[in-house]
Amino acid sequence: MSIELEPELAAAATSAAESDSSAAVCLFRSLADPTRLRILLHLALGEHRVVELTEHVGLAQSTTSTHLACLRDCGLVQVRTVGRSSVYSLAVATELMDLLSAAERVLAATGDAVTLCPRIDHTGEAHDPAQVGA
């Protein structure tokens, strides 16, 4: 069975199928953590100091900083020093917001399927296939 795709979509699908997906897997893992996603969405509102982000996510400063380091290492946020404070902002705001908007459209199209999937729990962690009868 073959599905007819628009030429642009077909080219993107072919390219994705032929490329190494490890970078995409890493990107989606960085976005899969609820705290990191909350930080990114808060940074979409503008720059924030670590103390402000810590208050927003309700975690210890060290935990928040660890998540920010991950997002910085992934190239999703950038930091600049202002006095004794570190101020964070989105490094690729337009692209990241486009990606998150696309995710919202996929979620709207699939309904509850993602949240009801027996192989993935609510934290986004994959279950051991042996435990779900795969």
Side-chain angles (χ1 to χ4, degrees):
M1 175 187 242
S2 174
I3 299 174
E4 294 242 355
L5 300 175
E6 294 184 29
E8 186 176 296
L9 183 57
T14 301
S15 174
E18 293 173 352
S19 70
D20 177 13
S21 63
S22 61
V25 169
C26 290
L27 171 65
F28 286 112
R29 279 191 184 143
S30 72
L31 298 173
D33 183 271
T35 299
R36 288 193 293 267
L37 189 55
R38 286 184 66 210
I39 289 170
L40 290 170
L41 292 172
H42 199 61
L43 288 174
L45 302 173
E47 293 184 325
H48 291 286
R49 296 178 302 140
V50 174
V51 67
E52 296 162 342
L53 292 167
T54 298
E55 290 171 5
H56 178 71
V57 297
L59 296 172
Q61 186 273 329
S62 60
T63 304
T64 303
S65 291
T66 299
H67 284 295
L68 286 165
C70 172
L71 293 169
R72 187 186 65 241
D73 292 345
C74 290
L76 300 176
V77 301
Q78 55 195 6
V79 62
R80 64 185 179 86
T81 303
V82 177
R84 293 177 48 193
S85 297
S86 295
V87 179
Y88 285 84
S89 62
L90 295 178
V92 287
T94 301
E95 295 83 358
L96 188 56
M97 291 301 103
D98 288 348
L99 176 63
L100 295 175
S101 293
E104 289 295 331
R105 290 191 303 275
V106 169
L107 290 171
T110 60
D112 291 334
V114 172
T115 56
L116 296 175
C117 178
R119 298 179 190 274
I120 299 175
D121 67 25
H122 70 282
T123 64
E125 294 295 321
H127 287 289
D128 180 350
Q131 293 178 349
V132 292

